[in-house]
Amino acid sequence: MELIGLDTILSPEGSSTAKQHNVAPRRFKTLDGVRLGLLGNSKLNADAVLLAIGDLLQQQYAIESVYMRSKPTFSKPAPDELIEAMLDNADILITGVGD
Amino acid sequence: MRDAFVPQPVMGKSKADLRAYVAGADPTTGVPVMQEIIEGLTRPFGEDEVQKTTYTRATPRFVECDSDADEQLQKLFLDSHWTDGLPIVVPTEERVAAMLACTSHAPDEVVGRMRPTLFREAWEYTVEKVAVNAVMAGARPDYFPVILALAATQISARGSTSSSAAAMVVVNGPIRQQIGMNSGTGAMGPYSHANATIGRAYGLLSQNLQGGSVVGETYMGSQGNAYSFSNVTVAENEEASPWEPFHVEQGFRREESTVSVFGSARHTAFTLGVPEQHWPAHVRRMLLGMDPQERPLFVLDPIAARQFVERGGFDTKGKLADWAYATAQIPAAEYWAYQLVQNYVYPRATFGEEPYASMLKAAPDELVHMFPRQAIHTIVVGGETNGYWRIFGAAYARTASIDAWR
């Protein structure tokens, strides 16, 4: 059945402008020679998972360097200073959440 | 975004267990975790992945439905995740207009922006959108300034947190009598139309104005929370209280009408009265039974409030909070072992923030305070049928003027 607009019943939803998110281009076909960034969410176990991933990647590839930082608190986005530091020190970034 | 999952839980697992998770398979796909990570970092994006980065989030003023029969409309609202699961009052233009007539603010005035978590984009809403949700909750038009004030706090009653937090709402000032709110017998229960529908409206407006509250997407509360139906919406019993009303403590005048919002409401401890013997030990145990990341809110029947004045000499709410702060102490090793303390407090301590940095240096058996002093609050609610009282775990967030929305 075709939907008809009911011009007497109002919608309860708030509004948000249309938005575009951009994905970081995949520049590397191999991880040999890349600088790896690990961004923890400040939860101890999530950081342990990230460090394990870093270790396993280093066993498999000739990773140039590993740059590990944690956010001051997991419930807020990373501060600008931290994102800038990641951009300066890493070619690729892995982040993780978990308790 | 590309992601890979390790099994749950990671909480409480050793480093060796976690390493085994990473070396194993993603439980959602069966593919090795490391293979997913490596491919995620190296495989170019496909057309379908790029398309997913564009969002259209225009919301129409009117709903679309193939029937205007009540049954069909109820189904539409339920299926669209616009309700709390209970039937709603259908928001016709006429009903919404009646709501709008009870504020001096224009329907298209922007009230605020809200989101279920800081990682999501905030959505914006007008006076009219708040009115639509107020109608749905069954609120009477003269409650509308209270509901607008709640919307204006921009604090969501439907956070997405896996901890199943609900909100709590305390109304103070003359509006309590003007709209018939209950601060006496049964105040926290379902018997007051104003308490019930204002609290429900706060929940509905939160989920609909913030961009949704859908289980598994924008609501992740692992156990859920029955407090979320009403957001424990009460008026303070200022008349029977031995102390200053809550809004006066927050710097408002007694004759102003306000609404105060508390978050993270889950825990409740309960007892009868303040006995002559051993009451400090009883109340201490109630406090020690909380998680240190909760925030004690004493909710006292006037009888219990007067007993606290008599037994403890607490002639202000602040003195009761001082006592609770000094009493709620546990060994440092136990404090730092709490999972939520590790999540929230430990990083702040390592970044040097006091008093946590000093608490981190404490010897394992040295006593530390469970709660910050300024986070402990008291309200007086109840009809004096008996001296029962409770400690809620609820974090005070903000007090907003209701008069500003009349």
Side-chain angles (χ1 to χ4, degrees):
Chain A
M1 188 184 292
E2 194 183 340
L3 292 179
I4 51 168
L6 296 172
D7 61 3
T8 57
I9 314 294
L10 278 80
S11 162
E13 291 188 290
S15 60
S16 166
T17 48
K19 199 158 182 176
Q20 169 102 33
H21 291 281
N22 296 314
V23 288
R26 293 303 184 247
R27 295 183 288 142
F28 305 98
K29 288 194 170 66
T30 171
L31 301 184
D32 287 330
V34 305
R35 298 175 304 159
L36 171 65
L38 298 174
L39 176 61
N41 74 342
S42 83
K43 292 185 177 181
L44 298 179
N45 295 311
D47 289 2
V49 168
L50 279 177
L51 287 169
I53 291 169
D55 276 354
L56 291 171
L57 285 178
Q58 281 180 291
Q59 285 174 16
Q60 207 170 331
Y61 296 96
I63 301 279
E64 171 78 17
S65 60
V66 179
Y67 184 69
M68 171 87 187
R69 290 280 301 270
S70 274
K71 298 197 301 176
T73 175
F74 69 89
S75 61
K76 292 178 184 167
D80 290 343
E81 170 275 321
L82 185 47
I83 292 172
E84 291 296 328
M86 274 294 166
L87 285 169
D88 288 344
N89 292 287
D91 301 314
I92 59 170
L93 176 67
I94 304 173
T95 186
V97 295
D99 273 336
Chain B
M1 190 180 76
R2 285 173 173 171
D3 48 34
F5 290 87
V6 296
Q8 276 275 54
V10 292
M11 174 192 64
K13 292 287 178 185
S14 69
K15 286 198 164 62
D17 289 338
L18 295 172
R19 198 182 171 91
Y21 276 174
V22 173
D26 179 334
T28 66
T29 60
V31 177
V33 172
M34 290 306 296
Q35 182 187 327
E36 286 184 328
I37 289 172
I38 291 161
E39 286 182 2
L41 290 167
T42 53
R43 194 181 69 244
F45 281 106
E47 188 63 27
D48 56 327
E49 285 176 296
V50 173
Q51 272 176 10
K52 277 186 197 161
T53 62
T54 307
Y55 300 87
T56 313
R57 286 166 172 167
T59 51
R61 182 161 182 243
F62 297 103
V63 302
E64 285 188 345
C65 187
D66 54 17
S67 163
D68 62 358
D70 184 66
E71 198 179 330
Q72 291 299 313
L73 287 166
Q74 293 290 343
K75 186 173 185 315
L76 169 73
F77 276 69
L78 184 66
D79 292 349
S80 303
H81 305 286
W82 291 338
T83 80
D84 48 13
L86 302 175
I88 48 103
V89 175
V90 173
T92 62
E93 208 165 5
E94 198 179 359
R95 288 170 176 150
V96 172
M99 197 65 71
L100 290 168
C102 283
T103 180
S104 60
H105 291 257
D108 61 355
E109 181 181 330
V110 173
V111 178
R113 290 155 63 81
M114 202 179 276
R115 49 189 167 181
T117 170
L118 287 173
F119 298 106
R120 285 188 174 260
E121 177 193 353
W123 288 47
E124 193 171 87
Y125 43 89
T126 60
V127 170
E128 180 178 272
K129 288 292 187 184
V130 178
V132 173
N133 285 277
V135 168
M136 287 167 61
R140 237 169 45 193
D142 55 334
Y143 309 161
F144 192 41
V146 185
I147 296 165
L148 278 168
L150 282 166
T153 64
Q154 306 189 74
I155 297 167
S156 175
R158 294 278 201 269
S160 65
T161 172
S162 55
S163 68
S164 307
M168 274 185 78
V169 175
V170 180
V171 176
N172 282 100
I175 189 106
R176 294 169 306 136
Q177 282 90 3
Q178 290 160 4
I179 62 173
M181 285 196 78
N182 187 4
S183 63
T185 305
M188 288 196 281
Y191 301 102
S192 158
H193 186 264
N195 294 23
T197 58
I198 289 168
R200 187 187 188 203
Y202 183 31
L204 294 181
L205 74 87
S206 294
Q207 69 186 68
N208 290 323
L209 302 180
Q210 71 181 3
S213 184
V214 178
V215 167
E217 293 175 20
T218 35
Y219 183 81
M220 304 302 278
S222 191
Q223 295 189 304
N225 195 333
Y227 292 160
S228 293
F229 281 111
S230 69
N231 296 303
V232 202
T233 299
V234 294
E236 187 169 27
N237 194 339
E238 298 175 19
E239 292 71 18
S241 169
W243 298 312
E244 272 190 340
F246 188 80
H247 68 314
V248 175
E249 284 186 278
Q250 305 307 324
F252 289 83
R253 285 175 288 114
R254 189 178 278 266
E255 62 273 21
E256 287 179 276
S257 293
T258 67
V259 64
S260 299
V261 173
F262 295 73
S264 304
R266 290 171 292 255
H267 175 104
T268 319
F270 157 87
T271 192
L272 171 60
V274 186
E276 196 173 358
Q277 301 289 319
H278 298 296
W279 69 265
H282 296 171
V283 182
R284 176 174 175 271
R285 281 204 193 90
M286 290 168 79
L287 291 164
L288 265 52
M290 304 177 76
D291 189 288
Q293 275 308 99
E294 295 187 295
R295 299 290 177 246
L297 172 64
F298 286 77
V299 180
L300 306 179
D301 187 273
I303 292 174
R306 288 194 294 272
Q307 281 193 320
F308 269 114
V309 176
E310 191 184 324
R311 306 277 192 230
F314 307 135
D315 55 4
T316 64
K317 289 177 176 175
K319 286 183 185 172
L320 172 57
D322 288 341
W323 178 85
Y325 167 71
T327 300
Q329 297 194 57
I330 55 174
E334 284 182 31
Y335 177 84
W336 290 109
Y338 274 99
Q339 187 78 41
L340 280 174
V341 170
Q342 289 186 19
N343 288 354
Y344 282 93
V345 187
Y346 179 79
R348 295 166 67 178
T350 58
F351 276 74
E353 184 179 333
E354 291 296 349
Y356 306 119
S358 296
M359 285 163 68
L360 194 55
K361 291 179 198 137
D365 56 354
E366 192 178 325
L367 294 177
V368 298
H369 293 283
M370 287 179 75
F371 314 107
R373 162 64 186 83
Q374 68 275 16
I376 303 172
H377 295 283
T378 298
I379 59 167
V380 177
V381 174
E384 304 180 68
T385 62
N386 210 336
Y388 289 110
W389 61 278
R390 307 176 206 180
I391 300 175
F392 278 79
Y396 172 60
R398 196 169 298 162
T399 300
S401 167
I402 293 169
D403 299 329
W405 291 99
R406 288 188 193 258

